Amino acid sequence: MDSNTKSEVIMKNNHQTLWRNGLGTCGSTEAGRLEHAWKEACGVFGIMAPGEDTARLTFFALYALQHRGQESCGIATFLNNNVFLHKDIGLVSQVFNEEILAKLQGDIAVGHTRYSTTGSNNICNAQPILVTYKNLKIVLAHNGNLVNATELRNYLISRGYKFESTTDSEVMAKLIVLELDNKNDLQLAVKEAFKKCKGAYSVVLGTKDSLVAVRDPDGVRPLCIGTTLKGHHVIASESCALDIIGATYKREVAPGEMIFITKEQKLDSDLFVSEIKPHHCIFELIYFSRPDSTFKGLSIYHFRKELGRQLAREAPVNADYVISVPDSGTPAAIGFAEELKLPFSEGLIKNRYVGRTFIQPSQMLRELGIRLKLNPLRDIIAGKKIVVVDDSIVRGNTSRKIVKLLRDSGAKEIHMRISSPPVQWPCFYGIDIDSREQLIAAKTNSAEGIARYIEADTLKYISHEGMIKSTGLSQETFCTACFSGKYPIEIPKELEGAKFRYEKISTKG
Ligand code: AMP
């Protein structure tokens, strides 16, 4: 497959992908860049709906999955033997318009939103990815992170495969092509390819006559299946993407399951590994997924509120108001306030239009920092004892700025409460939590030390046990590596790199 950095994409019955803007460079094998590019937390969507406007439905679904990735997005459709693909850097609303959607015709569509990780806003890494085997074109959209991507990539290179992007998703796509060469049967090839993949992957594949969903045996990232109003099958990272198009949620794609859907809506399910031990990412429940999505049939909002209640039982405080860091801290703040019978109030107003844009803020705006996003309600805060609830502290920058903002607004006391335990370990399975060196809880000995760093009067986190208890499920159900350092899927030594090294900082008051 060639790449071309010219005008607008529309690919029809040939082997070229054309991009609207020629941003970034392609095909580097430089190790440093690769390591960075493996980090992906994304949104995926697929639909098999002959006779429906699949591109438009995918466009709306990607809108609902925008929170899972703001760097780039794309849609590929299949109509008979033709593939139409459009992908670019930017938000869903920036990348697609009526004219482009009208060109994306097909009975089958696959869509993707890609998470922003610094330095990797490279058009080559945008998805869906297209590969061709003989006359068969396959598109692939992936959420997660392979831990053996480098090994697999080197193996594929040794077999003569060339790479255009720096993503592990392209590794998967090329692996399928390799297996197709061995097996000459798509279903068998997909099964064999994913048996070789280690790590987190929720994948949607499309061909001219099939839609395929694959989820890793640990079920780290979410993936669910539903049906449209007309009874056609859809697959999505989160149930909120089904809601937006009026589709009905059916069930989760099970860990280790591969689902094949034909144009006749026949659904074939197969478990491609014998040993299945779910380890769902608990950070999806705490922060990453949308609160209106579901987990095990319950809204994530429900879990977040429960985390707040548990946090209140563990770390009560008397205050005039409980406020949240909007929006991700809000359900836990409401739960916290309800449990202690304290008034909940909005205290920080979020500007919902500050997203990722191509325009860099000016120096003056950069200095205003968090004010671009959050503006305090002074008459609520001034002279009051405030509890502020957030879902997590990762690097500690946000909390420090929020405390300053509240202090500058005249708060008498500021008590920070966090509805997750301290984040101390990097994520290798697709969430952008990088090296320990960047994590304030790894570098600082205690919550008291962090409280001094962020300059809050008090700071308390929910306990690990309290977090698990709030889910109503067992510890074994989850991957809690970012809190515990216990990685359910083994991390190869070369991937660890410097990520586990850190230096303690002193926060003596
Ligand atoms: P900080 O401690 O400065 O890294 O920021 C933590 C804040 O960012 C919290 O309010 C979270 O809601 C949010 N957050 C948590 N994890 C992530 C992540 N992986 N990427 C971006 N934002 C995050």
Side-chain angles (χ1 to χ4, degrees), residues 19-307:
W19 288 301
R20 200 173 59 178
N21 308 322
L23 297 175
T25 53
C26 303
S28 167
T29 54
E30 191 195 321
R33 283 189 54 209
L34 284 182
E35 194 192 348
H36 200 92
W38 295 150
K39 287 192 310 181
E40 282 181 54
C42 308
V44 296
F45 183 80
I47 179 164
M48 166 66 90
E52 295 199 53
D53 188 350
T54 56
R56 193 171 300 272
L57 292 173
T58 305
F59 168 74
F60 286 127
L62 293 187
Y63 246 102
L65 297 174
Q66 186 73 85
H67 64 291
R68 298 190 71 84
Q70 291 113 50
E71 180 191 298
S72 63
C73 57
I75 298 177
T77 58
F78 286 89
L79 186 66
N80 305 321
N81 281 326
N82 297 326
V83 186
F84 301 90
L85 169 65
H86 184 87
K87 55 184 177 179
D88 208 341
I89 286 175
L91 299 172
V92 177
S93 59
Q94 294 166 320
V95 168
F96 294 98
N97 58 32
E98 276 299 332
E99 201 189 330
I100 291 164
L101 286 177
K103 288 179 188 164
L104 291 167
Q105 292 184 11
D107 298 331
I108 303 166
V110 171
H112 190 261
T113 56
R114 184 166 187 271
Y115 194 75
S116 139
T117 48
T118 20
S120 63
N121 62 338
N122 189 327
I123 184 66
C124 304
N125 292 333
Q127 297 190 30
I129 284 174
L130 173 83
V131 286
T132 305
Y133 174 71
K134 295 185 179 164
N135 287 326
L136 180 68
K137 294 185 180 70
I138 305 168
V139 295
L140 178 146
H142 164 223
N143 169 213
N145 207 38
L146 292 192
V147 294
N148 64 339
T150 307
E151 185 191 321
L152 291 173
R153 185 181 168 113
N154 289 342
Y155 168 67
L156 286 160
I157 289 172
S158 75
R159 300 285 302 260
Y161 286 82
K162 295 204 168 31
F163 284 84
E164 298 194 354
S165 75
T166 54
T167 65
D168 50 356
S169 314
E170 193 184 358
V171 172
M172 291 176 185
K174 298 265 157 87
L175 206 53
I176 294 170
V177 171
L178 177 93
E179 293 298 340
L180 264 173
D181 212 17
N182 296 334
K183 303 265 180 303
N184 215 12
D185 173 283
L186 182 66
Q187 212 152 332
L188 284 179
V190 171
K191 202 167 161 175
E192 281 311 306
F194 282 101
K195 276 186 191 168
K196 295 189 171 65
C197 294
K198 292 196 185 114
Y201 48 89
S202 284
V203 172
V204 176
L205 297 164
T207 71
K208 66 179 170 45
D209 47 21
S210 60
L211 181 71
V212 186
V214 189
R215 193 172 180 201
D216 69 73
D218 291 77
V220 180
R221 298 281 143 242
L223 196 63
C224 64
I225 182 161
T227 49
T228 67
L229 291 170
K230 293 187 177 165
H232 295 126
H233 289 296
V234 285
I235 296 156
S237 285
E238 290 182 38
S239 61
C240 65
L242 305 181
D243 298 336
I244 199 172
I245 59 164
T248 308
Y249 168 89
K250 291 291 173 195
R251 66 173 175 92
E252 301 294 302
V253 174
E257 185 181 10
M258 179 178 76
I259 294 177
F260 253 79
I261 301 161
T262 65
K263 279 200 169 174
E264 297 69 42
Q265 304 298 311
K266 186 170 157 284
L267 190 149
D268 245 11
S269 160
D270 196 1
L271 291 178
F272 61 95
V273 283
S274 50
E275 206 187 337
I276 288 160
K277 293 185 275 105
H279 290 108
H280 306 299
C281 166
I282 202 157
F283 209 68
E284 290 271 355
L285 286 189
I286 289 166
Y287 166 75
F288 205 63
S289 292
R290 258 175 58 159
D292 50 338
S293 287
T294 55
F295 176 75
K296 304 246 176 213
L298 278 174
S299 79
I300 285 173
Y301 183 84
H302 159 92
F303 288 101
R304 292 190 183 158
K305 226 170 134 184
E306 204 43 49
L307 286 163

Side-chain angles (χ1 to χ4, degrees), residues 14 35 88 112 151-152 160 201 210 239 246-247 261 296 308 325 332 340 364 378-379 408 431 447 454-455 485 503:
N14 65 26
E35 194 192 348
D88 208 341
H112 190 261
E151 185 191 321
L152 291 173
Y201 48 89
S210 60
S239 61
I261 301 161
K296 304 246 176 213
V325 180
L340 295 181
M364 188 268 281
R378 281 168 204 281
D379 52 347
D408 290 348
I431 296 260
I454 66 172
E455 297 180 19
E503 265 176 46

